[in-house]
Amino acid sequence: MLTTRRSLVLACVAALAALSSPLALAQAPIVIKFSHVVANDTPKGKASEFFAKRAAELTKGRVKVEVYANSTLYKDKEEMEALQLGAVQMLAPSLAKFGPLGVKEFEVFDLPFIFDNDAELHKVTQGPLGQKLLAKLESKGIRGLAFWDNGFKSFSANKPLKTPDDFKGQKMRIQSSKVLEAQMRAVGALPQVMAFSEVYQALQTGVVDGTENPHSNLYTQKMYEVQKHMTLSEHGYLGYAVIVNKKFWDGLPTDVHGQLEQALKEATVYANKIAKEENDAALEKVKAAGKTQVYQPTPAERLALKKAMAKVHKEMESRIGKETIDAVYKETGFDPNKL
Ligand code: LMR
């Protein structure tokens, strides 16, 4: 009898041990659903795949990152809600998409002409100010982990956009940012907020006349097929914050945290390294396709645009917060009084 009871106990102990053995754990990986709205063949698409690969390697298969590209799982607005509800664990929305969440400070990145180049931008995104901005997401149940680049935007439309006057009456698709809305209104255009996944069709059917994008987005969504003109204005920046559901993140084992942080660190270096190359290559492909006339504005034309749009900085001060705008100016040396 005693022997039977003891063998039963031993059998239970063995079963429990088997359940927590590396083999059993390997059979049930921690799944991270990473949703995004752009094509795989873009800086964000490639960086998220890179992250998934390194996460699997560094955690030795304990974590499986499933990347859902091209709005296949959720569109812009829905993906933010899905993250907060825990239906997906990770996203990298454009910085313009945090305003509707109530974190208006992020719209500082949308201010026209606020960054002259990558070096200025990185002082903010890769420095203490960037960390301070990411921390603002905590109250929304979100942990901000990193900033990934896409790049500087060009305007596109079916007519040449060279002077501020050329924008008058043009219906321009924008991301969901009040700053971008003000930027378009500053030159007399009619801004239309629209999910990224709907832009191609809206351009094709004439629901909107034009838009603004880094070249990788314009090319991979085939917008160049339905836009006759493009101006290399580099008037604004589009980049991403990599974010996770805070509750999910806090619940991960400590060693996994460290491994994922390392994977993300590597993915961030990779993203910011390839972003410019990807955008340059996309521009060459747009040119080669021959459907869009690509125009390089003269310094005087670019300055005229800058002067027309600069008032948006002041206009948006109460929304974004003067403190945040000034902190960026301090890092980058931008002076609105010296244009
Ligand atoms: C857009 O909506 O234009 C962009 O935010 C898409 C993206 O994620 O790059």
Side-chain angles (χ1 to χ4, degrees):
M1 179 68 183
L2 198 64
T3 326
T4 323
R5 199 180 291 155
R6 191 193 273 157
S7 16
L8 201 64
V9 170
L10 282 177
C12 286
V13 169
L16 278 174
L19 265 180
S20 57
S21 76
L23 189 67
L25 285 175
Q27 282 164 354
I30 301 166
V31 174
I32 297 181
K33 289 196 170 115
F34 189 146
S35 169
H36 69 77
V37 298
V38 294
N40 279 319
D41 211 11
T42 57
K44 177 161 64 178
K46 289 189 170 177
S48 52
E49 291 292 349
F50 182 101
F51 171 69
K53 183 169 169 287
R54 288 302 286 142
E57 285 166 3
L58 291 169
T59 64
K60 300 199 169 40
R62 253 176 105 189
V63 172
K64 185 170 189 284
V65 180
E66 295 174 353
V67 179
Y68 297 90
N70 248 328
S71 310
T72 43
L73 210 51
Y74 296 105
K75 299 200 287 192
D76 298 312
K77 193 168 161 286
E78 288 86 348
E79 71 171 17
M80 216 49 129
E81 286 161 6
L83 183 87
Q84 286 182 295
L85 291 171
V88 292
Q89 289 71 39
M90 204 159 179
L91 306 173
S94 134
L95 302 169
K97 291 173 184 165
F98 288 85
L101 201 69
V103 195
K104 297 170 190 155
E105 291 89 341
F106 274 66
E107 288 181 352
V108 74
F109 292 102
D110 297 333
L111 286 171
F113 295 96
I114 192 162
F115 303 108
D116 266 337
N117 49 51
D118 286 338
E120 283 186 10
L121 166 80
H122 290 157
K123 277 192 197 157
V124 177
T125 54
Q126 310 304 320
L129 183 53
Q131 288 306 312
K132 212 170 140 190
L133 286 167
L134 291 179
K136 295 199 182 288
L137 299 171
E138 296 275 319
S139 63
K140 307 290 170 193
I142 292 173
R143 169 74 43 89
L145 296 174
F147 288 97
W148 285 355
D149 280 346
N150 190 337
F152 288 89
K153 296 176 286 187
S154 283
F155 284 117
S156 67
N158 286 316
K159 60 176 274 196
L161 299 172
K162 297 183 181 175
T163 69
D165 264 2
D166 295 333
F167 287 80
K168 285 219 169 78
Q170 288 285 294
K171 283 177 275 161
M172 300 293 280
R173 180 269 170 173
I174 54 163
Q175 306 173 82
S176 55
S177 154
K178 293 287 174 206
V179 171
L180 297 179
E181 209 174 301
Q183 169 203 275
M184 292 301 189
R185 290 202 193 284
V187 286
L190 308 170
Q192 304 239 348
V193 173
M194 189 177 288
F196 186 64
S197 54
E198 287 159 18
V199 183
Y200 174 84
Q201 210 184 358
L203 289 169
Q204 191 188 34
T205 55
V207 169
V208 289
D209 302 307
T211 185
E212 55 169 14
N213 265 299
H215 306 139
S216 53
N217 280 353
L218 181 105
Y219 178 70
T220 53
Q221 298 297 320
K222 301 194 188 324
M223 293 179 203
Y224 68 95
E225 288 183 353
V226 287
Q227 293 280 263
K228 292 197 178 76
H229 293 272
M230 191 175 150
T231 305
L232 306 180
S233 43
E234 300 201 328
H235 60 280
Y237 171 73
L238 191 156
Y240 310 108
V242 184
I243 57 177
V244 281
N245 176 295
K246 183 171 150 31
K247 208 164 146 205
F248 168 80
W249 185 257
D250 290 345
L252 289 173
T254 319
D255 53 339
V256 170
H257 268 160
Q259 290 153 346
L260 289 182
E261 269 160 12
Q262 178 60 25
L264 196 62
K265 208 166 141 191
E266 293 176 25
T268 301
V269 170
Y270 171 78
N272 296 351
K273 180 182 164 294
I274 63 159
K276 188 159 174 7
E277 294 160 17
E278 290 289 319
N279 281 308
D280 289 350
L283 177 61
E284 288 315 309
K285 287 184 204 154
V286 170
K287 284 180 181 166
K291 296 190 181 214
T292 317
Q293 285 242 316
V294 177
Y295 182 68
Q296 176 70 61
T298 64
E301 282 167 340
R302 195 163 175 272
L303 184 62
L305 210 53
K306 189 172 184 173
K307 284 188 169 161
M309 292 179 166
K311 63 179 177 199
V312 172
H313 288 226
K314 194 87 198 139
E315 251 174 64
M316 289 290 122
E317 209 173 79
S318 59
R319 181 176 167 87
I320 299 168
K322 186 169 168 18
E323 201 189 298
T324 303
I325 299 180
D326 284 345
V328 173
Y329 288 171
K330 201 164 157 241
E331 292 290 346
T332 64
F334 183 94
D335 184 347
N337 302 314
K338 278 195 206 149
L339 294 181

